[in-house]
């Protein structure tokens, strides 16, 4: 009888319900045998937007989710919300296993590939979080980058009103404009990821989205 190595476990924290299924599928496809479990709290993002940004309550709640994931046996904790990204930095002080952000790998790739980066956001709460993440990764690599940010809140409203077609049209048009003066485009939220390949073909520019890049990067941790 041979000893079997216990499966690695990833605890994921989501503020959008649909991301649980997407990330679960991508992770199990790329890393067979890994166990994935989820915490979904859509109120986190709703409160963040209502408050105009992070506050102590949201940071405390993110920290508790990280702690609960670790207590449930997670070898790795992953937050899939770009807007709550700064809260992960604080939560890492209380969680002893690696606590990753969905857009860490994307930001690292972006600052490695170019110095003129177009950042496309649809939620106002993502603007400072995503630009700050890009800047921190650039600083870590000793690189100077220019980030041009475009916020398309109408696309966000369309998506949550159930009008996916309008959301996609707004995002695609905004990305095309960003591509004119930038070397690459970063889609700040995972909700735009399905458009990355199409935008890349139409603009001829590198277009980065977080879900697949994040899942690929998990290999280094698993």
């Amino acid at each position: 009888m041979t000893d079997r190595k216990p499966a690695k476990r990833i605890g994921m924290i989501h503020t959008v319900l649909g991301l649980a299924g997407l990330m679960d599928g991508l992770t199990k496809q790329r890393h067979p045998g890994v166990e994935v479990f989820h915490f979904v709290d859509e109120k986190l993002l709703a409160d963040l937007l209502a408050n105009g940004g992070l506050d102590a309550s949201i940071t405390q709640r993110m920290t508790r989710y990280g702690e609960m994931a670790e207590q449930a046996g997670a070898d790795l904790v992953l937050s899939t919300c770009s807007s709550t990204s700064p809260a992960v930095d604080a939560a890492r002080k209380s969680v002893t296993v690696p606590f990753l952000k969905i857009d860490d790998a994307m930001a690292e790739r972006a600052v490695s590939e170019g110095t003129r980066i177009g950042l496309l956001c649809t939620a106002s709460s993502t603007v400072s979080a995503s630009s700050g993440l890009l800047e921190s990764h650039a600083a870590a690599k000793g690189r100077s980058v220019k980030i041009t940010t475009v916020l398309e809140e109408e696309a966000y409203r369309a998506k949550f009103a159930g009008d996916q077609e309008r959301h996609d049209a707004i995002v695609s048009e905004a990305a095309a404009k960003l591509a004119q003066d930038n070397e690459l485009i970063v889609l700040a939220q995972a909700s735009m990821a399905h458009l990355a390949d199409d935008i890349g073909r139409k603009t001829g520019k590198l277009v980065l989205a977080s879900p697949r890049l994040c899942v690929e990067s998990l290999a280094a941790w698993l």
Side-chain angles (χ1 to χ4, degrees), residues 45-136:
L45 183 57
D47 288 349
L48 188 150
L49 291 169
N51 297 340
L54 285 173
D55 61 15
S57 172
I58 292 171
T59 299
Q60 290 167 2
R61 284 151 64 188
M62 282 293 292
T63 299
R64 286 201 294 271
Y65 280 123
E67 292 171 344
M68 286 191 294
E70 182 176 8
Q71 291 164 4
D75 300 293
L76 176 75
V77 182
L78 172 65
S79 169
T80 66
C81 179
S82 300
S83 296
T84 58
S85 175
V88 175
D89 297 321
R92 285 170 174 162
K93 300 173 184 177
S94 301
V95 180
T96 62
V97 298
F99 198 159
L100 307 184
K101 305 173 184 180
I102 189 172
D103 41 11
D104 266 325
M106 178 175 68
E108 183 175 1
R109 173 82 183 277
V111 302
S112 298
E113 295 283 351
T115 57
R116 298 193 317 277
I117 301 171
L119 176 64
L120 180 53
C121 309
T122 60
S124 58
S125 56
T126 311
V127 173
S128 60
S130 295
S131 59
L133 188 65
L134 287 166
E135 289 166 355
S136 67

Side-chain angles (χ1 to χ4, degrees), residues 130-148:
S130 295
S131 59
L133 188 65
L134 287 166
E135 289 166 355
S136 67
H137 277 275
K141 290 181 174 293
R143 291 175 62 84
S144 177
V145 297
K146 178 183 178 182
I147 303 169
T148 301

Side-chain angles (χ1 to χ4, degrees), residues 163-185:
D163 193 345
Q164 186 70 46
E165 184 176 351
R166 176 159 173 72
H167 167 275
D168 292 356
I170 294 171
V171 169
S172 296
E173 182 178 350
K177 292 178 181 178
L178 269 176
Q180 295 174 7
D181 299 311
N182 293 283
E183 296 170 277
L184 60 95
I185 299 168

Side-chain angles (χ1 to χ4, degrees), residues 27-48:
T27 303
K28 290 177 178 177
Q29 181 182 48
R30 177 62 179 82
H31 307 287
V34 169
E35 294 181 13
V36 184
F37 61 92
H38 307 270
F39 296 97
V40 180
D41 185 349
E42 294 184 303
K43 192 69 165 55
L44 274 172
L45 183 57
D47 288 349
L48 188 150

